[in-house]
Amino acid sequence: MNTPRIKSTLLSLGILSLSLGLCHAQSTLTNGLVAYWPLDATDGVSTPDLALGNNLFLTNAPTLVAGERGNCFQFDGTSQYLALHHSTNFVGTGLPIYTTNGYTIAFWVQGASTQAANHIPFAEVAFAGSMLMDFNTRASKIAVFLRDNLGTTVINNISSSNIVFDGTWHHVAFSDYNGVCQLYVDGNLDSPTNENYTSPSSGAPAGTITTVAALVRSSGIADYFAGSVDEVMAWSRVLSQTEIQNAMSNGIPKPISPISPTFVNPPLSTTNALGDRVILSANVFGNQPMGFQWFSNNVALAGQTNTSLLLTSQITPGTNSYTLTANNAFGTNSSAPVSVVVLPDLPATNIDSGLVGYWPFNVISNSATSPDLVDQNDMQLTNMTSANLVAGKYGNALSFDGATQLGSEFSGPPVYDLSTTYTVAFWVNGASNQADKQVFANGNSVSGGYFFIGTDNAGTSGKVDVRINPAGFADTVSSNTAFDGTWHHIAWVDQNGTGLLYIDGVLDPAVYSYAHGALGALALNNTSVGALVAAPLRDYYAGNIDELATWNRRLSYTEIQSIIATGIPVPPTTIKPSVTTPTSQPASLTNGVYQGDTVSISAFGSGTAPLSYQWYLGAAKVSGASNPTALTNTLTLTNVQPANSGSYTLVVSNPAGSVTSSVVVLNVTPYSPATTGTVLQVDFNAALGPIPQPGFTSMTLATNPASFSGPSITLSPIGATSLADRARGTPVNNPPALTQADIYAQFIFSTAATPGTGIDVLIGRLASSTTYGVTIWCWDAQNSGTSDWSEVASGTPNVIKNQYSFSGSSAPSDYSDTLGGLVTSSPSGQLDIQGVVDASSARVDVFLNALVLVANPVIKITNVQLAADGNLQVTAMREYPGESVIFQESGSVNGGWQFAGDAILISNSGPYITVEFPLSSTQQFYRVVYQTQ
């Protein structure tokens, strides 16, 4: 959606401002008004929306009674509510109200304070999705809840400061501009409420149902509100406090002028390749209900009565004209004609151009492989012999049993990661009675990412399922059939996230659209047929496969028809190399690389094997004698130094020629690890709203792994678990007992409670073989239990603390919930700290609130003072929490130290211990040492 264009168009028409930014004070409350339900009347079926005609429908006859202004609806709290199902075309209909760029909602409400929590006067929700915005009861207060389009809870039932539910009428208004929120009660700003949130989700609004007095979703109806609601209003802009008070005191001036259909975003002309999918769409603003009709060359298209038009049969070159007509009770309007141009294809004379892999499946070589005629990346066959060769569409084909047989290859680059635009084509002959079986796939055999083309995932329809996980889209099933016991040709074209699926040369109507990206840590490492080689190996296909080929470009419509009709031409004997830098490899490494790190830079070469590789730094070759990886497709640089900074390229060669990759810039930051003092103070926080403890640096799962001016931390789950975060919001500072409230309020934790599962904290870029004192905060207000902590980087676990326990029911004080110890970094400068659930613990997750690391720590006395009782009070800081120390005393600083048996323990918390000594004329000097000394 082009917001600036919407704003200028509507303002020029003098109709309605749909500006999604903050507005200056408005002269009339009808500016930006998208919904106004006065709730004064009903026809027995619905109650009217005076703004755009989005009438709310009555369920179980709520009672019409006297309200705050005119009438209102009274709800019984058990079955009665108002609701409207609608589209997500908020530009045209004003609904859904929730957008990520600015809106205001206001209403009057009357309810008792005795109502249970989470009963909802007003809500907007994705009926079959996760997005939800609601206002709900919290004793006598009203709470706001918001889960955005991405399914992330950004406002979690934050209650008002003022009373709303006390049996009398109260006015509630809420505005949200890109996460900057204001809640008003009775026209006054309710403060503090802390509804603000960061990084609101992008994209079109997802809400599909608006309700009053209940929450309605596909899973059921719940949270009925008992009480009365009146004067519900919504705007597509943020109102000022003066405007909110005006709406509260005076309502909306009536009558509200109706709006005939007005094209906000008309359809646009397009120029397309032969066989393309074309989608024409428009946003039309005006009163509801509204009807639509598409025309092609002035002829009405049967059944095309929506604001979008999908054209999938663009196989004839030429130009056609399209218009959209919209009508409502107040008028009719048509868009200007737009042209859909379809260009002719070039002849299919160079199909081998961009060919990455071609497996004709005509023979089985060496009893275990099927040759690749392009790069000799042969398909390795599992549990298959020459008996699996059957008659195919062209020559032979491979037959798979659907249980144990597959083909896989790991030597060539998976086509999904090789290029953002690519083509996969093959013939299939399989039965319809198999669900979720994969014909072709790129997978990761360790981490589990994948891209596949296979059978319908949900049933036995015989249709084609395409899925990319986790970076792409969920299972998307074709409209047409390809599995019915006969041969069918499938061609998949992906143009940087725009997918086209051709079945027997005909573009399927199913729409595939996503943001193409490499799968990061789940980068693909194999190509397979007949099964998915991921983690685990699964989804065996039963049937025949023939003529599999992949290209690092789009095959044209004419080329697809050609390979269907005559097969794929045998490629030339030698194909000149081509090289791409995969999208998982950044174009530059200018940040976050420190002196001493290990860095790998990869690029994939294609062409006729054998291929030779040579990496260059600037114009100079990287020596293969001193670094053998310089002669491979992945250059690995260990213990990098500033001298390794520069521009790297890879040259790939074979007898047909050579090609040079794009430049990767490496910048190495000079760095010497500290050997004394504090090297890390990290507060582990919730990703949505990190609030670090003063003096600490924040780390969240969104920034994992993270660097801290040299040292790095990588968090990983241990065992069958995952990591999550939480912001409890408690406790609060209570000096001097508690000044570390921010540490205890937010944390990262493991989601399983099985003994042996937990969190791995890998700390890198430290001084080699150096002693460190580690302090770890581990506490959660809603849990209690026992965990074991150790350091394992040296290969032999070094116990930090066994059976560490805390009680969430006990409010913490500074350092009251810490553990720690002395650990030694590995020769490579790493510490690997692991916290796991103890076998004796009935129920606990492993929590990580904060961490402090001190290099070569020393015990030191931090404070000496005369106590109120006349004793001498001494406070010492140990090397880590709970370290066993003793106090010694002497009449001379030069020797004669003895155990101070008269020490009185005052406090013992974390690394700090405080004692008192009765004043004496013989002993004047004190020190603290290890207990073993």
Side-chain angles (χ1 to χ4, degrees):
M1 182 184 73
N2 189 324
T3 301
R5 178 175 182 179
I6 293 173
K7 179 178 179 181
S8 60
T9 302
L10 292 176
L11 287 176
S12 65
L13 294 171
I15 297 172
L16 175 66
S17 170
L18 281 180
S19 168
L20 300 182
L22 286 170
C23 301
H24 296 293
Q26 301 291 319
S27 59
T28 171
L29 288 174
T30 59
N31 285 346
L33 185 69
V34 295
Y36 176 32
W37 296 286
L39 307 184
D40 284 338
T42 175
D43 58 6
V45 175
S46 65
T47 186
D49 167 25
L50 301 187
L52 296 177
N54 293 303
N55 300 342
L56 292 171
F57 290 88
L58 283 62
T59 297
N60 293 324
T63 307
L64 198 64
V65 299
E68 176 64 20
R69 180 172 291 104
N71 294 328
C72 73
F73 279 102
Q74 187 179 76
F75 303 93
D76 61 9
T78 59
S79 66
Q80 297 172 338
Y81 63 91
L82 310 176
L84 175 64
H85 290 265
H86 50 76
S87 72
T88 57
N89 181 24
F90 78 110
V91 174
T93 66
L95 300 177
I97 295 165
Y98 166 69
T99 73
T100 60
N101 294 313
Y103 60 94
T104 303
I105 299 169
F107 54 88
W108 285 93
V109 65
Q110 182 188 62
S113 63
T114 56
Q115 190 162 193
N118 208 41
H119 290 265
I120 297 175
F122 181 86
E124 190 165 68
V125 63
F127 183 70
S130 59
M131 179 263 154
L132 170 61
M133 173 184 65
D134 71 52
F135 300 86
N136 61 80
T137 58
R138 295 280 152 168
S140 62
K141 311 291 181 64
I142 194 165
V144 181
F145 180 89
L146 178 57
R147 188 165 56 224
D148 68 14
N149 290 346
L150 298 180
T152 302
T153 298
V154 295
I155 302 177
N156 193 2
N157 288 321
I158 296 178
S159 297
S160 63
S161 298
N162 293 293
I163 291 175
V164 172
F165 300 105
D166 60 1
T168 65
W169 283 104
H170 290 278
H171 189 265
V172 176
F174 177 77
S175 66
D176 176 359
Y177 174 65
N178 275 324
V180 178
C181 304
Q182 302 281 4
L183 177 66
Y184 298 86
V185 175
D186 295 330
N188 299 313
L189 183 63
D190 188 89
S191 179
T193 53
N194 299 318
E195 299 101 340
N196 291 356
Y197 59 96
T198 58
S199 302
S201 69
S202 60
T208 56
I209 182 169
T210 299
T211 59
V212 173
L215 183 62
V216 180
R217 290 186 283 193
S218 59
S219 58
I221 306 171
D223 304 333
Y224 294 96
F225 173 71
S228 300
V229 180
D230 199 4
E231 292 280 301
V232 181
M233 311 169 186
W235 294 261
S236 63
R237 63 181 180 88
V238 172
L239 267 64
S240 67
Q241 183 174 10
T242 299
E243 290 174 310
I244 288 171
Q245 291 172 341
N246 189 10
M248 177 185 72
S249 301
N250 304 308
I252 303 294
K254 296 185 283 290
I256 300 173
S257 300
I259 302 171
S260 62
T262 302
F263 280 83
V264 179
N265 293 119
L268 302 175
S269 297
T270 64
T271 299
N272 312 275
L274 200 67
D276 270 358
R277 173 186 295 110
V278 177
I279 300 176
L280 299 178
S281 62
N283 276 320
V284 188
F285 185 77
N287 279 71
Q288 305 297 313
M290 195 180 302
F292 305 95
Q293 177 63 59
W294 284 94
F295 292 82
S296 175
N297 301 321
N298 297 319
V299 177
L301 297 175
Q304 301 301 325
T305 56
N306 297 308
T307 55
S308 63
L309 175 65
L310 173 63
L311 304 171
T312 59
S313 300
Q314 305 303 296
I315 59 175
T316 303
T319 301
N320 289 289
S321 176
Y322 291 86
T323 56
L324 174 64
T325 295
N327 65 84
N328 64 12
F330 306 101
T332 300
N333 196 5
S334 295
S335 67
V338 297
S339 297
V340 175
V341 179
V342 179
L343 302 175
D345 270 348
L346 296 174
T349 58
N350 197 22
I351 290 175
D352 62 294
S353 173
L355 190 62
V356 175
Y358 173 35
W359 298 269
F361 297 142
N362 286 330
V363 298
I364 294 180
S365 303
N366 303 319
S367 301
T369 62
S370 187
D372 170 19
L373 301 188
V374 179
D375 284 346
Q376 300 176 15
N377 294 315
D378 298 344
M379 200 71 69
Q380 306 299 310
L381 304 179
T382 299
N383 298 320
M384 302 181 77
T385 67
S386 57
N388 292 95
L389 291 173
V390 298
K393 281 298 293 185
Y394 292 96
N396 292 327
L398 282 179
S399 178
F400 298 82
D401 65 3
T404 64
Q405 297 174 343
L406 74 148
S408 58
E409 68 91 8
F410 287 78
S411 56
V415 71
Y416 177 87
D417 271 351
L418 177 65
S419 178
T420 57
T421 296
Y422 62 93
T423 301
V424 178
F426 52 85
W427 286 91
V428 291
N429 183 340
S432 63
N433 60 342
Q434 49 184 327
D436 205 19
K437 308 301 180 183
Q438 312 319 330
V439 178
F440 172 88
N442 289 156
N444 185 298
S445 56
V446 178
S447 301
Y450 54 79
F451 148 58
F452 64 60
I453 305 171
T455 66
D456 179 1
N457 68 301
T460 56
S461 65
K463 296 179 179 180
V464 179
D465 178 28
V466 183
R467 179 169 178 171
I468 300 170
N469 181 72
F473 49 82
D475 296 283
T476 304
V477 177
S478 66
S479 298
N480 297 319
T481 298
F483 300 96
D484 58 6
T486 63
W487 283 105
H488 291 278
H489 189 265
I490 294 175
W492 165 258
V493 176
D494 186 346
Q495 299 177 99
N496 197 26
T498 298
L500 303 173
L501 179 69
Y502 293 88
I503 299 178
D504 296 327
V506 177
L507 180 63
D508 194 84
V511 175
Y512 303 85
S513 180
Y514 72 108
H516 186 285
L519 303 188
L522 301 176
L524 307 177
N525 65 4
N526 68 80
T527 298
S528 63
V529 290
L532 174 60
V533 182
L537 169 65
R538 60 189 185 274
D539 302 346
Y540 290 94
Y541 162 77
N544 304 333
I545 306 174
D546 197 10
E547 291 284 293
L548 169 64
T550 59
W551 291 260
N552 63 7
R553 66 176 179 88
R554 172 187 178 168
L555 240 60
S556 71
Y557 174 82
T558 300
E559 288 173 320
I560 291 173
Q561 308 308 311
S562 174
I563 65 174
I564 292 173
T566 61
I568 299 171
V570 176
T573 303
T574 302
I575 297 177
K576 180 180 177 180
S578 62
V579 64
T580 60
T581 301
T583 52
S584 59
Q585 175 66 37
S588 60
L589 297 170
T590 57
N591 294 300
V593 178
Y594 288 83
Q595 183 175 342
D597 283 357
T598 295
V599 176
S600 291
I601 306 171
S602 296
F604 290 120
S606 64
T608 301
L611 300 173
S612 63
Y613 300 89
Q614 177 62 63
W615 282 95
Y616 284 77
L617 173 54
K621 290 182 179 180
V622 180
S623 171
S626 58
N627 185 353
T629 66
L631 305 181
T632 70
N633 73 302
T634 299
L635 175 65
T636 300
L637 304 172
T638 60
N639 191 26
V640 294
Q641 302 297 314
N644 295 117
S645 299
S647 299
Y648 289 82
T649 54
L650 173 65
V651 174
V652 184
S653 305
N654 71 3
S658 63
V659 65
T660 302
S661 74
S662 59
V663 172
V664 174
V665 177
L666 173 64
N667 184 29
V668 179
T669 301
Y671 172 67
S672 296
T675 57
T676 60
T678 301
V679 297
L680 276 175
Q681 287 197 127
V682 180
D683 188 353
F684 299 97
N685 286 313
L688 287 177
I691 303 175
Q693 175 73 21
F696 284 68
T697 301
S698 177
M699 179 177 178
T700 69
L701 289 176
T703 59
N704 180 35
S707 293
F708 303 90
S709 299
S712 64
I713 294 182
T714 302
L715 301 179
S716 305
I718 298 174
T721 181
S722 59
L723 301 183
D725 57 23
R726 187 168 296 141
R728 289 291 190 201
T730 57
V732 296
N733 281 326
N734 184 24
L738 179 61
T739 63
Q740 298 179 345
D742 291 331
I743 280 181
Y744 293 108
Q746 300 191 40
F747 49 83
I748 293 171
F749 66 103
S750 65
T751 59
T754 305
T757 63
I759 297 178
D760 183 283
V761 185
L762 179 63
I763 307 174
R765 301 200 192 103
L766 300 175
S768 173
S769 303
T770 299
T771 300
Y772 289 87
V774 60
T775 303
I776 296 171
W777 282 257
C778 179
W779 185 82
D780 173 30
Q782 297 184 12
N783 283 279
S784 296
T786 309
S787 54
D788 299 330
W789 295 79
S790 59
E791 198 288 319
V792 300
S794 63
T796 301
N798 176 13
V799 174
I800 298 175
K801 179 72 174 178
N802 278 338
Q803 294 189 325
Y804 165 77
S805 64
F806 69 88
S807 175
S809 61
S810 299
S813 59
D814 283 347
Y815 297 100
S816 66
D817 295 276
T818 58
L819 61 121
L822 288 178
V823 294
T824 302
S825 61
S826 68
S828 62
Q830 287 188 329
L831 290 172
D832 193 356
I833 298 171
Q834 296 185 346
V836 299
V837 177
D838 187 85
S840 64
S841 182
R843 165 68 196 184
V844 67
D845 297 315
V846 178
F847 301 89
L848 192 59
N849 303 70
L851 178 147
V852 170
L853 202 64
V854 180
N856 288 312
V858 294
I859 303 173
K860 55 186 176 182
I861 294 177
T862 60
N863 187 55
V864 178
Q865 65 182 17
L866 191 65
D869 57 5
N871 289 338
L872 182 68
Q873 188 176 93
V874 180
T875 298
M877 185 176 73
R878 298 169 289 193
E879 295 169 287
Y880 60 89
E883 183 182 24
S884 296
V885 296
I886 60 172
F887 284 82
Q888 294 180 336
E889 57 187 7
S890 173
S892 170
V893 74
N894 296 318
W897 294 100
Q898 298 180 359
F899 173 70
D902 56 348
I904 304 168
L905 180 65
I906 302 301
S907 65
N908 186 0
S909 178
Y912 290 95
I913 183 169
T914 299
V915 300
E916 288 185 4
F917 300 94
L919 288 179
S920 168
S921 61
T922 58
Q923 278 82 32
Q924 299 178 4
F925 300 96
Y926 295 90
R927 72 176 184 179
V928 59
V929 297
Y930 300 115
Q931 190 169 0
T932 57
Q933 291 182 337

